[in-house]
Amino acid sequence: TAEIKRRFLAHFEANGHAVVPSAPLPAIDDPNLLFVNAGMVQFVPYFLGQRTPPFARAVSVQKCIRTPDIDEVGKTSRHGTFFQMNGNFSFGDYFKEGAIPLAWELVTTPVERGGFGLDPERIWVTVYLDDDEAAAIWRRTGVPEERIVRRGKKDNFWSMGIPGPAGPCSELYYDRGPQYGRAGGPAVDEDRYLEFWNLVFMQYDIADVRSKEEFRVVGELPARNIDTGMGLERMAAILQGVDNLYEIDEVRPILDRAAELTGRRYGVGSGRVAGESHPDDVRLRVVADHVRTALMLIGDGVTPSNEGRGYVLRRIMRRAIRAVRLLGWQDPVLPELLPVARDCMAPSYPELASEFDRISSYAYAEEEAFLSTLRAGTTILDAAIAQARAAGGGRLSGEKAFQLHDTYGFPIDLTLEIAAEHGLRVDEEGFRRLMADQRARARADARARKTGHADLSAY
Ligand code: GLY
């Protein structure tokens, strides 16, 4: 993986791009975004014309976090909460006619000549519905008509998911072969045809973003730009010949250590429902993914807390710790796994090794606290679940969920997850009503406590 990064940077540097370091994971300039979720985030002011870029072309390997699909982690080959995005950028310099051949050259140049050596016959591309220009450039570059697919906004119009720069895009897919799914191209099967690089033709400013397909184009950007994102982990999976991103060299050692500790064998596949992974495999992947993500987040200064970025980190850590317990290991696990994650990532991010004392002290303290919460809450929750099942209602009451939260600090998302594992729903509406009542009481109480001397709520 480190070599893929090196080759990517070298290719674009040789083609006149400035090498720019990754921005830290917490997105600081944008109130709409908790974490950097794409390589272009640090360049948004350049695209919008708010700042003049010091270079016309740039290349980076950006650390990213995306959590909307957190429940998919481990189940598909494609979802990771932390990933790295290789990207090349043009700020009003080259456009489609430059981006497409530059990408093609890197991925098809043989390995011994510094490229990625993909077989051109196995590459498919997509373009936005009416983007004849991009389709014509692909044909000229060497992709035959039958492997150029046109797709709509959902797949081929890219934005950050929030107001800002956006544009139609063209994606590159690699055909991993019939053992991964049906023939027919990316529109038919996205497991067999793995998307690995997205070339975005940044030319619009959008607002009122409601979904991938519902937004308002406010106007054209001052210049036509290029923003690309190559999923580093996906490219690593392809080039390392492994099934999914949890098995690449930067992640697999964490998974193997978790398997060793819990005595589970990864990839055995017994009890597999068609197309689905064995639950143990899913849990081992969740552990590996989430431990790495926690390391990277704490490394970039995020600490566990009950809101915002800190809560995302807390939730990720808790999911990893719980998955390990479900695999049968009850002791603190981070002291076993975090050093493995550090050793995987430190070759690219040496600060993870030099800062490891700080990082690990936050992580280990969080695990200790969570384990005591779990010890107290699980007994109560197990009893409540047994009771609810005996009563045959299929539902856990809002009062019980509230009591677990209020008295035992047992987070609602965990109650929901555990209840679901037992086939029960939770009266979430009742829970939220009780939470709102409690907040109202706390506010009234705070008002009543104001003395003539000081407003204690500020303290
Ligand atoms: N900015 C392009 C991508 O994230 O796919």
Side-chain angles (χ1 to χ4, degrees):
T1 303
E3 178 61 13
I4 297 170
K5 293 182 216 185
R6 199 193 61 70
R7 288 186 183 206
F8 189 90
L9 294 172
H11 172 67
F12 286 100
E13 193 177 20
N15 282 284
H17 294 65
V19 179
V20 179
S22 172
L25 283 167
I28 36 182
D29 283 341
D30 197 325
N32 290 313
L33 210 56
L34 282 181
F35 296 111
V36 171
N37 63 358
M40 49 75 79
V41 169
Q42 64 170 323
F43 302 123
V44 169
Y46 302 155
F47 290 134
L48 293 175
Q50 294 164 341
R51 288 216 301 263
T52 309
F55 28 65
R57 302 174 175 202
V59 60
S60 68
V61 179
Q62 174 66 50
K63 295 177 268 187
C64 298
I65 298 278
R66 285 187 196 171
T67 53
D69 294 324
I70 195 165
D71 292 323
E72 294 302 311
V73 171
K75 294 179 191 159
T76 79
S77 59
R78 305 186 301 272
H79 291 96
T81 52
F82 168 83
F83 61 94
Q84 299 151 89
M85 193 161 259
N86 293 346
N88 57 293
F89 306 90
S90 149
F91 309 108
D93 190 45
Y94 61 82
F95 199 44
K96 300 175 192 181
E97 77 302 335
I100 289 174
L102 277 170
W104 185 255
E105 187 191 332
L106 177 60
V107 295
T108 58
T109 296
V111 170
E112 53 285 5
R113 286 202 277 119
F116 294 158
L118 295 187
D119 175 359
E121 304 289 312
R122 296 175 80 159
I123 298 176
W124 289 61
V125 301
T126 60
V127 297
Y128 186 59
L129 289 177
D130 62 3
D131 195 348
D132 299 333
E133 192 189 352
I137 299 170
W138 278 120
R139 276 194 301 274
R140 280 207 302 278
T141 308
V143 182
E145 186 69 43
E146 62 274 17
R147 291 207 305 274
I148 303 174
V149 181
R150 293 181 188 248
R151 300 180 88 180
K153 271 190 191 148
K154 189 166 145 295
D155 300 291
N156 277 69
F157 195 99
W158 195 86
S159 78
M160 290 186 287
I162 57 173
C169 58
S170 179
E171 298 184 312
L172 288 85
Y173 289 77
Y174 182 71
D175 179 1
R176 299 198 291 164
Q179 68 275 31
Y180 285 98
R182 286 176 300 152
V188 174
D189 193 318
E190 290 210 21
D191 268 323
R192 169 166 174 174
Y193 300 89
L194 187 66
E195 185 234 314
F196 63 88
W197 202 345
N198 185 14
L199 317 181
V200 185
F201 311 129
M202 280 291 183
Q203 56 201 113
Y204 300 113
D205 188 6
I206 64 166
D208 302 334
V209 185
R210 286 184 298 283
S211 71
K212 282 189 168 183
E213 292 168 275
E214 297 165 296
F215 51 81
R216 189 164 56 84
V217 173
V218 188
E220 302 234 343
L221 295 174
R224 297 198 305 174
N225 312 286
I226 290 295
D227 151 35
T228 86
M230 171 195 278
L232 176 62
E233 284 76 4
R234 291 188 186 185
M235 182 48 83
I238 293 172
L239 294 183
Q240 292 172 20
V242 295
D243 188 55
N244 56 61
L245 55 88
Y246 317 100
E247 294 173 18
I248 66 166
D249 59 349
E250 282 188 348
V251 186
R252 179 71 193 239
I254 317 171
L255 191 156
D256 284 342
R257 180 75 183 120
E260 192 184 356
L261 287 174
T262 56
R264 306 287 166 142
R265 276 176 61 206
Y266 177 71
V268 177
S270 60
R272 219 177 136 123
V273 184
E276 278 181 22
S277 297
H278 188 280
D280 284 355
D281 287 357
V282 174
R283 285 182 186 133
L284 287 167
R285 291 179 194 143
V286 166
V287 173
D289 172 87
H290 288 12
V291 168
R292 184 169 82 132
T293 302
L295 170 80
M296 300 309 292
L297 280 172
I298 306 175
D300 270 2
V302 181
T303 52
S305 76
N306 273 342
E307 54 194 20
R309 299 182 179 108
Y311 186 68
V312 175
L313 169 62
R314 174 161 280 169
R315 178 152 186 243
I316 283 171
M317 292 180 72
R318 287 172 170 179
R319 280 172 52 93
I321 294 164
R322 236 180 63 72
V324 170
R325 286 171 75 84
L326 290 170
L327 288 165
W329 176 266
Q330 308 302 322
D331 292 334
V333 77
L334 292 180
E336 303 290 337
L337 300 183
L338 208 64
V340 183
R342 172 201 60 201
D343 295 344
C344 290
M345 300 305 289
S348 293
Y349 306 97
E351 66 279 11
L352 295 172
S354 55
E355 294 271 304
F356 194 67
D357 284 348
R358 174 185 69 78
I359 297 171
S360 57
S361 63
Y362 275 114
Y364 300 166
E366 176 68 8
E367 179 170 32
E368 285 296 341
F370 183 52
L371 289 180
S372 354
T373 300
L374 272 182
R375 275 191 289 273
T378 308
T379 320
I380 316 277
L381 181 55
D382 284 350
I385 287 173
Q387 218 173 16
R389 293 179 91 176
R395 200 160 98 137
L396 202 70
S397 71
E399 285 83 15
K400 193 47 85 180
F402 179 73
Q403 185 202 5
L404 278 161
H405 166 87
D406 195 43
T407 313
Y408 301 98
F410 208 74
I412 181 68
D413 49 31
L414 204 57
T415 303
L416 291 171
E417 256 177 50
I418 298 177
E421 282 162 14
H422 289 83
L424 291 179
R425 284 174 296 112
V426 177
D427 174 12
E428 268 190 84
E429 205 180 302
F431 168 80
R432 300 208 187 281
R433 209 175 33 247
L434 290 165
M435 286 292 285
D437 291 351
Q438 188 201 44
R439 269 196 293 274
R441 275 199 307 280
R443 270 197 300 272
D445 193 40
R447 270 198 300 276
R449 277 169 199 260
K450 277 187 191 170
T451 70
H453 302 292
D455 176 357
L456 292 181
S457 65
Y459 176 74

